[in-house]
Amino acid sequence: MGNFILSGILDKKKIVIVAWKTCCKYLKEGGLGLKSLKTFNGASNLHLCWKLFQDNNIWSSLFASMVRRNNRVIKHSIKSSLWSSIKDNFGIVKDNTHWLIGTGKLTNFWLDSWLDEPLTLKFKIPEILHNTLTAKVQKTSF
């Protein structure tokens, strides 16, 4: 991109006299107002990371099943061009999100991460028993 903007020809290299970082500054700051691809890519990766763990669509469910182990994300690489970019953003997304319980009718007391980590993990409840744990975080009236 830099070659094209500075020389008008993709194949011909010229001496770059303006840094790409300067080109990405706002016009008011002396730049060309171009979008930084690095910033855009970072924002896209954060968005993908958020969607991976919040959406219930097919791609996120499938991909989450590949990268989650005991409700934690794997640290190692897998054969995926997405995961190498997304895994570095998981901590940022986790640190900047929180649960909104509402009435608690939809939040599973044992299996959901409403207290930072699922209680099944905290108390080491075997996975074979997880399908029997159906209690909700719900306000009960007496």
Side-chain angles (χ1 to χ4, degrees):
M1 273 198 253
N3 268 350
F4 178 76
I5 289 170
L6 298 174
S7 69
I9 304 168
L10 286 175
D11 298 333
K12 189 175 179 185
K13 291 197 179 236
K14 287 190 173 184
I15 296 173
V16 178
I17 56 173
V18 179
W20 184 248
K21 197 184 285 188
T22 303
C23 293
C24 293
K25 287 183 180 180
Y26 294 110
L27 291 171
K28 295 175 187 175
E29 298 173 353
L32 296 175
L34 300 175
K35 301 291 182 199
S36 166
L37 294 178
K38 185 176 182 178
T39 304
F40 182 78
N41 187 50
S44 296
N45 288 337
L46 278 170
H47 182 69
L48 273 175
C49 186
W50 167 257
K51 289 182 77 66
L52 174 63
F53 295 104
Q54 298 304 318
D55 279 0
N56 291 327
N57 56 33
I58 294 172
W59 85 266
S60 59
S61 299
L62 176 66
F63 202 74
S65 70
M66 292 169 48
V67 299
R68 270 194 190 160
R69 302 290 183 272
N70 297 323
N71 285 326
R72 295 180 190 221
V73 293
I74 60 173
K75 303 283 187 211
H76 58 276
S77 295
I78 58 172
K79 290 184 180 181
S80 166
S81 57
L82 288 176
W83 182 240
S84 60
S85 300
I86 292 174
K87 71 178 177 177
D88 297 334
N89 291 299
F90 181 72
I92 296 168
V93 170
K94 187 176 179 195
D95 291 344
N96 291 286
T97 56
H98 62 275
W99 278 73
L100 293 176
I101 300 294
T103 62
K105 289 180 182 178
L106 302 176
T107 307
N108 186 295
F109 182 81
W110 294 101
L111 300 173
D112 288 332
S113 301
W114 63 283
L115 289 175
D116 191 35
E117 69 178 347
L119 293 175
T120 52
L121 190 63
K122 190 176 204 117
F123 296 119
K124 297 182 175 99
I125 297 173
E127 196 168 330
I128 196 165
L129 299 175
H130 288 194
N131 63 344
T132 63
L133 303 172
T134 58
K136 304 291 183 192
V137 178
Q138 183 176 3
K139 182 179 179 182
T140 56
S141 55
F142 294 96

